C-alpha cells in the first residue's frame, strides 16, 4: 500500500490508473479503524481495480464541545489493517494540506435533511461532512465511493449531494458490522466502560423489537417509539431519538415508502447511534 500525505502525491500516483481507465473505489475514514471499516475496504475491492482509502479527522464536522481533540488517532495500526485488507493507496493529509486557508467555500446541504435527527443535536455537522467529502471526491476522483450504513443520515446527505451536484460517482452503502451481541461497531465504542459496554447492545435490541412489532402488523409507530425510549431511559440511557422514518429522506412515514428505524442515545458520556431497515 502506498501512503500519500499530499494531494499532488496522490494525484501523481493515480495518474497511471486513470490513463488505463482503471475503476477507482474510494472509502473515506477518520481512522481508528474497526472491522466495519475493513469490511467496507474488502467490498470496495469488488467494485474497482484500484482501492483508495483516506484517514483525516475532519475538524469541520465537530462542534465546539465535541471530541475532536480526544478522537482516537491510531495511524500505525490503521495502516497495517488497510494494507492487509488490500487497499492500494492511503491518502492521509494533515490539516495544513486539506485546509491551508480557512475553508470558506462549503457545501450547504438541504436543511430538511440536516436539521433533523443527528443534525438537530450537532449543528453544522453535515455541512462539515459534505464539505470534506466533496473535497476528497475532487482529490481522488473515484467512480465508486463507499460509506457505512451505520451513519444512515450521512449516507442520505451524501447521496443527495452527489445527485444534486451531478458528481459522476456511484455511492454504495455497506451493511453495519456488529459485535456478537448486536452492538454496531463504532470508533466511539472504545469510550465505553466495561459496565457500559455490557449495557450498550440494548439500543440494537430496541431497534430489533420495533422491527419485529412492525413485521407482526403494529402500525402505531408513536407507541413503539415511546415504549422503546422508555425502556432505554429505564436502564440509565439518555435517549436523543428513536424514530421510524422513510429511508429515502428520513422524513416521517408516508404511503408505502420503505422504512428504517433509527436510534441515538447517550450511555454515560458516550453517544451511540444505530439503525435497522424495516423489511
Ligand atoms: O464517517 C466518517 O468517518 C466521516 O464522517 C467521513 C465520511 C470520513 C468524513 O469525514
Amino acid at each position: 500500500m502506498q501512503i500519500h500525505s499530499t494531494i499532488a502525491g496522490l494525484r501523481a500516483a493515480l495518474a497511471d490508473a486513470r490513463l488505463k481507465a482503471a475503476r477507482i473505489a474510494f472509502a473515506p475514514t477518520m481512522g481508528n479503524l474497526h472491522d466495519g471499516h475493513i469490511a467496507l475496504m474488502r467490498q470496495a475491492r469488488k467494485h474497482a481495480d484500484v482501492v483508495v482509502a483516506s484517514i483525516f479527522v475532519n475538524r469541520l464536522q465537530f462542534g465546539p464541545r465535541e471530541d475532536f481533540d480526544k478522537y482516537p488517532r491510531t495511524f500505525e495500526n490503521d495502516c497495517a489493517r488497510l494494507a492487509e485488507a488490500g487497499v492500494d493507496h492511503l491518502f492521509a493529509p494533515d490539516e495544513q494540506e486539506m485546509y491551508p486557508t480557512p475553508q470558506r467555500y462549503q457545501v450547504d446541504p438541504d436543511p430538511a435533511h440536516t436539521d433533523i435527527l443527528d443534525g438537530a443535536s450537532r449543528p453544522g455537522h453535515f455541512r462539515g461532512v459534505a464539505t470534506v467529502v466533496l473535497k476528497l471526491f475532487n482529490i481522488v476522483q473515484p467512480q465508486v465511493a463507499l460509506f457505512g450504513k451505520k451513519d444512515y443520515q450521512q449516507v442520505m446527505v451524501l447521496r443527495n449531494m452527489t445527485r444534486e451536484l451531478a458528481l459522476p460517482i456511484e455511492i454504495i452503502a455497506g451493511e453495519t458490522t456488529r459485535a456478537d451481541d448486536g452492538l454496531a461497531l463504532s470508533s466511539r465504542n472504545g469510550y465505553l466502560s466495561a459496565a457500559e459496554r455490557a449495557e450498550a447492545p440494548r439500543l440494537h435490541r430496541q431497534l430489533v423489537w420495533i422491527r419485529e412489532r412492525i413485521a407482526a402488523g403494529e402500525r402505531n409507530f408513536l407507541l413503539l417509539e415511546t415504549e422503546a425510549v422508555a425502556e432505554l431511559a429505564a436502564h440509565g440511557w439518555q435517549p436523543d431519538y428513536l424514530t421510524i422514518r422513510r429511508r429515502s429522506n428520513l422524513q416521517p412515514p408516508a404511503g408505502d415508502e420503505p422504512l428504517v428505524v433509527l436510534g441515538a442515545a447517550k450511555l454515560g458520556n458516550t453517544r451511540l447511534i444505530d439503525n435497522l431497515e424495516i423489511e
Side-chain angles (χ1 to χ4, degrees):
M1 181 177 77
Q2 294 180 34
I3 302 175
H4 312 277
S5 57
T6 65
I7 297 170
L10 178 74
R11 285 199 169 137
L14 292 180
D16 188 44
R18 275 190 230 293
L19 274 178
K20 293 182 184 139
R23 200 168 152 81
I24 298 174
F26 176 47
T29 80
M30 296 203 302
N32 192 27
L33 304 181
H34 51 67
D35 288 350
H37 293 110
I38 300 306
L40 217 52
M41 302 301 158
R42 296 197 197 282
Q43 192 177 352
R45 168 62 63 207
K46 295 190 182 131
H47 292 273
D49 312 299
V50 176
V51 176
V52 181
S54 65
I55 296 179
F56 179 65
V57 185
N58 173 38
R59 188 185 290 274
L60 289 186
Q61 69 191 71
F62 288 79
R65 284 185 305 281
E66 292 185 14
D67 56 351
F68 176 78
D69 286 326
K70 81 170 192 168
Y71 197 85
R73 276 107 169 142
T74 53
F75 189 68
E76 301 301 321
N77 191 44
D78 292 346
C79 286
R81 297 207 67 185
L82 291 173
E84 199 202 320
V87 168
D88 301 298
H89 298 274
L90 170 63
F91 179 52
D94 63 13
E95 279 202 274
Q96 181 59 26
E97 182 68 9
M98 278 300 275
Y99 302 130
T101 54
Q103 186 69 31
R104 298 208 192 284
Y105 288 80
Q106 299 204 15
V107 179
D108 212 359
D110 184 344
H113 293 161
T114 59
D115 292 358
I116 56 170
L117 307 173
D118 282 343
S121 53
R122 303 185 71 187
H125 170 69
F126 288 109
R127 165 188 266 255
V129 170
T131 300
V132 79
V133 169
L134 180 61
K135 191 158 184 172
L136 288 166
F137 280 177
N138 284 332
I139 293 166
V140 179
Q141 297 182 25
Q143 280 74 43
V144 189
L146 296 96
F147 299 89
K149 263 191 203 178
K150 189 178 81 65
D151 296 306
Y152 209 90
Q153 190 173 5
Q154 169 169 283
V155 178
M156 188 270 289
V157 168
L158 295 175
R159 267 193 206 293
N160 279 286
M161 175 186 83
T162 304
R163 199 191 57 244
E164 284 205 9
L165 297 179
L167 306 177
I169 300 172
E170 181 189 355
I171 303 291
I172 294 180
E175 292 303 325
T176 301
T177 306
R178 298 182 180 281
D180 289 344
D181 58 11
L183 178 66
L185 297 193
S186 162
S187 303
R188 292 196 167 94
N189 292 351
Y191 299 153
L192 298 169
S193 68
E196 289 165 350
R197 174 63 189 82
E199 171 61 22
R202 191 179 306 278
L203 178 59
H204 176 242
R205 287 205 297 276
Q206 289 311 115
L207 301 179
V208 171
W209 175 78
I210 289 182
R211 185 173 68 178
E212 285 172 355
R213 293 285 304 272
I214 293 175
E218 178 63 65
R219 283 294 171 271
N220 187 340
F221 294 156
L222 185 58
L223 178 80
L224 293 177
E225 292 165 1
T226 310
E227 284 189 23
V229 162
E231 179 70 10
L232 287 178
H235 288 87
W237 296 68
Q238 295 161 261
D240 180 354
Y241 60 80
L242 231 152
T243 182
I244 299 155
R245 296 292 172 110
R246 276 181 269 167
R247 290 186 201 175
S248 59
N249 54 12
L250 300 183
Q251 300 303 309
D256 288 339
E257 278 201 46
L259 300 175
V260 57
V261 54
L262 308 107
K266 264 179 110 175
L267 191 53
N269 290 324
T270 309
R271 188 172 184 279
L272 298 178
I273 61 170
D274 201 354
N275 62 77
L276 272 187
E277 289 178 338
I278 293 167
E279 305 306 331

